[in-house]
Every structure is written in C-alpha cells, then in structure tokens.
Amino acid sequence: MIHSDLKKHYSRFLKGHGTNLHLAAHSHHFWPDVTREAQIEYWDDCAKTSDEKWNKIFSQIIPKTQKHIAKILNLKDEQQIAFAPNTHELTSRLLSLFLGRSALSVLTTTSEFHSWKRQILRLKELPEVSLTTVTTDLLLSDRRAFLDDLKNKLKNSPDIFFISQVFFDSGLALTDSELMELLEAKSSTTLMVVDGYHAFAALPTNLGPFEGKIFYLGGGYKYAQGGEGSAFMVIPKGEWRPAYTGWFAEYAHLSHNPGSEVGYSSDGMAFMGSTQDPSGLYRFNATWDLFEKLGLTVPSIHAHVKALQEEFIRVMPKSFLQRFNLTPLFKDLDWHGHFLTYSTRNPEEGEVIQQILRDKGILNDRRGNRLRFGLGLYHNQADIQDFQERLKKLAMS
Ligand SMILES: Cc1ncc(COP(=O)(O)O)c(C=O)c1O
C-alpha cells in the first residue's frame, strides 16, 4: 500500500530540493522535520550541561537508540549494540581483534561497500593477510551457484567472513534463510559479519535467530533517517578486547581506578571508540519515536516502497531503456533493497545518462556503470507520474 499523506513530515527537505525529483532515498533518505528539533535539543543540552551532557547521552539517548534498533531487528539483548560515527570505524575495530596474530584470512564478496573494500585491499598488501573474494556476478542468474561458491570457501575456515545482506551495487538481497545457510556452513572459529546497512529499516529483517551468532552492521544515514553519526554494530556476547579502543569502551568504569590493565565493558560497549558527535542519535530517536506514534513499521515501509517500485517499473518507457542500453538488475521485488538498479555499457555512458536525467531535475545516483533509483517514505503516486512526465519531455528533446 502506498501512503499518500507522509510528505507533510518531510516539508523542510522537500522545500530544500525545490522542483527537483529526488530519487536517491537509498543513499540519503530525506529526514523528517522532527529531526531538526532533535538537533536543536542536542545543542540545548550542550548549552545547559556542558561536559555533564554525557550522563544524559549514556543513560537516556544511547539506551533509547538501542531499544529502537532492537525492536526493528527483533533482538533481545539491546546492550550488545555499539555505536560509532561510521561503519568503517566499527569494522576497523573488528579487524583490530586480530592485531598481533600471525595471520588473518578474510572471505568476502566483490560487492562490499567502498570503505571495507579499500581497507581490506590495503591490508592485503601485508604478507600475513590473505583475502578470498567471491564474485556476485551470478547473484541474479544463479543464486545457488553463488551460495555454493561461498559455502565451499567457508570450508577453509577464514577468520572473518564479511557479506552484505543487500548488495550496494544492485539492491539484490540475501534472504534470512540464505544467511542462515551460510551461518550453518561456517566453522565455529570464523567470525561472520553481515553488513546490513542497505537492509536496516528497509527490509523486515528478523535477526532473532542470528542473535549472538553474527556481527551485524547498520546505521542511520540511509533508511533509518537519522543521518550521519549513528552507525552501529550488533555484537555477540563475549569478552571482546579490540586493540583499537577508546574511553567510551569502559565508560561505566570510568569513575573507578582504571588500574594498570585496559578494561572493557562486558557488553557491546566494548566496541565503542571515543568522543563522537551524538546528535545523529538524537535525530535517529526522533525519527523512530515519530514512526511509533504514526504506527509505521518496517513491514509497512517496505510495502510502501515495493508498491512504488512496481509503479516505477510500470511507467519506465521501454524506449528509454533501449535508447540508453539499460538493463534492469532485479527480479523479485518482494525481497529486494529499496533501490532499483539498471546497468549500462560502461561508466562513461552511465555518467552521460545521469547528467541527462539531472538536466530534467531527476536526481539519482550511480556506481560505475550502474544507475540506482531509490524511493522512500516521502514519495507517493504523484512522484511516479512526475517521473513519467519528465521522461516524456526527455524523449521529445
Ligand atoms: C553497504 C554499505 N555498508 C556501509 C555503508 C556505510 O559506510 P560508512 O559508515 O563507513 O560511511 C554504506 C554506505 O554507503 C553501504 O552502502
């Protein structure tokens, strides 16, 4: 079902983008207006309490964000959720678990987010780091082969297995049962990390059966609509001691004499770093408090976006796809990320198409030769008609 009355909650971002049609909700979803008040609340807390603000942040703001995330993902143990300004920091902290070991082996795919890919390729230059990368080329045509390839490579017991839930360069999504199959195929020594950034708050994910068994990454920049500064990681229980660590990792113990040993929180906070701008968490909470009030849940958000995607595909003219050699990279919209991807022949052509669309006020984004179109809560049927009209004008020009 398409919600038609949610635009009013996004009035500032809609006004900010003027007559442009923003089809990059998957990249930077508009923020509801309540996030502006949340930002000001943070400023006022600083003005009122200076350094004392951390008491409120650790006793109220962080626990509230943890509660929201736990509810969205169906997790029991919200204290196992740690935060950082971005997921790069969290993955670096994860990698630092292996600092000082004689070797580190990593299994991942060709479609992982840029910071991870760059970081792991750089580390591969070290003789003690080995990397196995499985191609996602078969994901659309032969998922079984893709999964079997991964399962075969898991037999080598890599130290870390890092994989997306929704792949950033296609929107193709692994189902819960596929992730479970992979979890069951790994050995007990392999740490499984699921990058859920493009699924979190978009696909109705039930992490319950995975709780305590995998690391799960997400954040507020995209579908969670809190913006930057609210990346998180769900962490299995354990006595974790990441070598890359800061004072937040023992916040609860700060008033005690730290002694000579480096202490860590016994929960997910062990993966926290150091002083960070927490306003993203204020915004995150404001968004999800609002959604709770409105009765909006991830399943209803997903149903809205899926219905819009179906309309988008319906109005997309074949002539446009043919003229620009665009190939759709999607099949099953029931379980697909919140963006539709079309590939063209090369990145140069992709850039030209993106500019042509931009000239008509259609704002989308692109990864190489792949054009991505993302729909969100601030879109409705009228936007699809607007898209269709703009494409008609383009065809005439
Ligand atoms: C799949 C995926 N994971 C994670 C991220 C976020 O990365 P970071 O928080 O390090 O900017 C992104 C951002 O685009 C992403 O696409």
Side-chain angles (χ1 to χ4, degrees), residues 314-384:
R314 191 180 62 76
V315 305
M316 174 69 97
K318 277 203 179 62
S319 55
F320 177 80
L321 298 181
Q322 276 161 5
R323 179 172 162 196
F324 294 110
N325 300 298
L326 290 167
T327 309
L329 297 181
F330 45 84
K331 265 186 196 161
D332 174 16
L333 293 183
D334 282 337
W335 197 254
H336 187 84
H338 283 190
F339 59 96
L340 297 170
T341 307
Y342 295 82
S343 70
T344 186
R345 286 181 299 201
N346 52 55
E348 293 73 29
E349 266 189 12
E351 193 179 349
V352 171
I353 302 165
Q354 197 183 1
Q355 190 53 52
I356 289 172
L357 291 170
R358 193 164 274 266
D359 291 343
K360 288 282 171 272
I362 299 169
L363 310 181
N364 76 319
D365 76 354
R366 181 175 63 86
R367 292 290 177 267
N369 68 333
R370 296 181 176 196
L371 292 147
R372 308 190 298 180
F373 298 87
L375 296 153
L377 280 181
Y378 52 97
H379 295 118
N380 62 21
Q381 186 72 42
D383 294 303
I384 303 294

Side-chain angles (χ1 to χ4, degrees), residues 111-166:
S111 295
E112 301 308 326
F113 81 106
H114 197 58
S115 294
W116 168 258
K117 183 175 172 190
R118 188 179 148 78
Q119 188 63 71
I120 209 69
L121 284 175
R122 173 64 183 85
L123 289 179
K124 197 183 81 155
E125 292 174 18
L126 304 172
E128 57 272 35
V129 177
S130 65
L131 177 65
T132 307
T133 313
V134 166
T135 175
T136 52
D137 286 353
L138 289 177
L139 206 49
L140 194 60
S141 58
D142 191 348
R143 285 170 85 93
R144 192 66 259 160
F146 170 71
L147 292 168
D148 287 346
D149 195 3
L150 280 169
K151 281 168 73 177
N152 258 330
K153 305 238 162 45
L154 279 170
K155 286 186 187 142
N156 299 329
S157 292
D159 295 311
I160 297 180
F161 169 38
F162 187 102
I163 188 160
S164 285
Q165 187 181 1
V166 171

Side-chain angles (χ1 to χ4, degrees), residues 86-88 113 115 164 166 168 195 197-198 222 231:
N86 50 63
T87 56
H88 177 249
F113 81 106
S115 294
S164 285
V166 171
F168 82 99
D195 181 354
Y197 215 116
H198 266 296
K222 303 177 190 300

